[in-house]
Amino acid sequence: MRRFFSALVVIVVLFMTKPMWEGKMEQLLHSKELEPITSRFDAIKNDPATAEALENAKVQWKQLTLEIKDLMNADVQNQDTAKAEKPDLAKPENQTFSVYNIELGDTKQNVEQTVGAPKRSTENEYGTHWNAYHQNYQNFMMISYDSGGKVNALYTDQDLLSSKTGIKIGSPRDSVREKLGKPMSEMRKGLVFYKIESNGEYDVYHMDNSYVTIFYDKHEQNTVTAIQIIDQKLEQDKNQYYTTPSSSLEKGFEYQLFDLTNAARVEHGLPYLTWDEHVQKTALKHSEDMAENQYFDHTNPKGQSPFDRMHEDDIYFLAAGENLAYGQNSSIFAHEGLMNSLGHRKNILQKDFEYLGVGVAFGDQSQPYYTENFYSK
């Protein structure tokens, strides 16, 4: 630790004196003297004794940087993953399912007496707002309220689910179907029937005057990973598959996907990511480009990769990744689909990433294009 603090002192001194040496170094690096200086350094470096000393210094510096990184990571873990108290879950009183002992029809006042104010409130595809409740993304859930302040939609991907049938987060898909029966294959809205093609990644049930969507994790043996409960009237009032685009819905989808990503990371024992406005603009430009030019690819028509686009926007990183989704009618369905795709899941659960920006744009048929840009520096 003495070596660690000594190095820290050196780093601080170098930083504090930066104005005195930075300009001279800049001049040196751009002067004709660079080549002979480099050549003389190469000659010194070839001396055996000097080479050994340099190699020892490199090893010590590498060890020091690892110690610093470990200490910083420990601080982040201590700050971000302190265990939040889990609620005592009781069986629902009026419906088949409840989330954090909350059911459809409960009042906003009663909800917030229990869990406090929402961390974020953003527009959703139903024309209401998802209110996100959590403690550093633990005990994460999203709740929508009607104009009278009563719960008309619920979502969670954490262990907050209770049911009269014993279904909970982690229950096998076969058990769900055994208890709830055959899921819906289509949904009628007015005179239109919408076919439900989930490829086994989720089931939809019409029950308790609501539509219940149960999501499964393909990479956790097809067990329940999340639930969405939508009041029947709220669902039927949304008479199209896609919602009419707006700037507020765009922002809503962006922040919802960001929060869902962090909730998944924390559920898997990882620190949550920081929203980065700079890389969000990079993500948004790519979504807008895909929507305008009607393509879906990490490489744009100019031949630029995600990393090229980030460099073009002066974003410098040690590691970076990009996730794309297209056509899902909400951030919830986009996120659950990404988690069931191994490469996208790897980005979401990459322990070394620190920052995330999400960009959403709508195509000519109101279909959303989602871009997630992750990086660390």
Side-chain angles (χ1 to χ4, degrees), residues 53-81:
L54 286 171
E55 190 60 32
N56 289 336
K58 283 166 61 179
V59 171
Q60 292 180 17
W61 175 251
K62 185 176 181 180
Q63 181 62 34
L64 178 61
T65 55
L66 288 173
E67 289 178 9
I68 293 171
K69 188 171 183 180
D70 287 344
L71 284 168
M72 292 175 68
N73 287 340
D75 288 342
V76 170
Q77 292 285 351
N78 290 337
Q79 179 182 352
D80 293 345
T81 60

Side-chain angles (χ1 to χ4, degrees), residues 66 88 193 258 277 323 337 346 351 371:
L66 288 173
D88 293 325
F193 286 88
F258 173 77
E277 200 70 33
N323 282 350
K346 185 177 179 181
K351 66 181 179 64
T371 301

Side-chain angles (χ1 to χ4, degrees), residues 217-248:
D217 192 329
K218 286 168 49 177
H219 305 290
E220 296 289 344
Q221 301 180 321
N222 290 312
T223 52
V224 175
T225 189
I227 189 169
Q228 176 183 265
I229 307 170
I230 306 293
D231 177 80
Q232 177 177 279
K233 182 178 184 305
L234 183 63
E235 183 65 63
Q236 289 298 324
D237 284 347
K238 180 178 173 288
N239 54 16
Q240 298 179 7
Y241 184 73
Y242 293 122
T243 303
T244 302
S246 67
S247 58
S248 57

Side-chain angles (χ1 to χ4, degrees), residues 81-312:
T81 60
K83 289 294 183 182
E85 185 177 348
K86 287 287 185 183
D88 293 325
L89 300 177
K91 284 188 177 181
E93 294 181 3
N94 303 311
Q95 295 163 326
T96 304
F97 293 100
S98 64
V99 174
Y100 208 115
N101 300 323
I102 298 163
E103 302 179 48
L104 295 185
D106 288 351
T107 67
K108 182 177 182 179
Q109 181 180 6
N110 287 342
V111 169
E112 297 193 352
Q113 281 178 350
T114 303
V115 298
K119 303 295 185 182
R120 197 192 311 276
S121 181
T122 51
E123 186 173 327
N124 62 28
E125 67 277 16
Y126 293 102
T128 61
H129 285 72
W130 278 126
N131 296 274
Y133 299 91
H134 58 88
Q135 299 90 45
N136 290 330
Y137 290 101
Q138 297 179 73
N139 292 338
F140 178 85
M141 61 182 173
M142 298 197 298
I143 300 177
S144 165
Y145 302 99
D146 64 18
S147 57
K150 292 190 175 181
V151 176
N152 61 3
L154 290 157
Y155 168 89
T156 190
D157 63 351
Q158 296 189 2
D159 190 16
L160 305 175
L161 176 64
S162 183
S163 72
K164 291 180 178 178
T165 60
I167 295 170
K168 58 184 180 179
I169 299 296
S171 293
R173 182 176 61 194
D174 290 345
S175 174
V176 172
R177 293 177 176 177
E178 180 183 338
K179 292 173 180 177
L180 299 184
K182 186 178 179 180
M184 297 172 62
S185 59
E186 59 185 16
M187 182 183 295
R188 179 177 177 177
K189 294 192 173 188
L191 299 177
V192 179
F193 286 88
Y194 293 91
K195 191 169 181 61
I196 298 172
E197 296 181 345
S198 70
N199 297 319
E201 294 186 11
Y202 60 87
D203 288 332
V204 183
Y205 293 93
H206 188 199
M207 56 196 302
D208 301 332
N209 295 316
S210 66
Y211 292 93
V212 177
T213 303
I214 299 177
F215 297 92
Y216 305 108
D217 192 329
K218 286 168 49 177
H219 305 290
E220 296 289 344
Q221 301 180 321
N222 290 312
T223 52
V224 175
T225 189
I227 189 169
Q228 176 183 265
I229 307 170
I230 306 293
D231 177 80
Q232 177 177 279
K233 182 178 184 305
L234 183 63
E235 183 65 63
Q236 289 298 324
D237 284 347
K238 180 178 173 288
N239 54 16
Q240 298 179 7
Y241 184 73
Y242 293 122
T243 303
T244 302
S246 67
S247 58
S248 57
L249 182 62
E250 177 185 289
K251 286 299 172 190
F253 279 179
E254 289 172 353
Y255 283 118
Q256 287 154 27
L257 190 52
F258 173 77
D259 286 341
L260 290 161
T261 299
N262 274 335
R265 286 177 63 86
V266 169
E267 184 69 2
H268 285 80
L270 300 170
Y272 56 81
L273 303 171
T274 299
W275 177 268
D276 188 282
E277 200 70 33
H278 194 176
V279 84
Q280 187 274 336
K281 290 181 173 61
T282 306
L284 178 58
K285 284 189 291 186
H286 188 56
S287 288
E288 290 173 338
D289 190 37
M290 290 191 294
E292 182 179 349
N293 294 295
Q294 299 183 2
Y295 72 96
F296 182 65
D297 202 308
H298 291 286
T299 303
N300 65 18
K302 296 178 181 178
Q304 293 176 311
S305 72
F307 317 112
D308 295 328
R309 294 190 292 272
M310 291 172 74
H311 281 306
E312 186 176 62

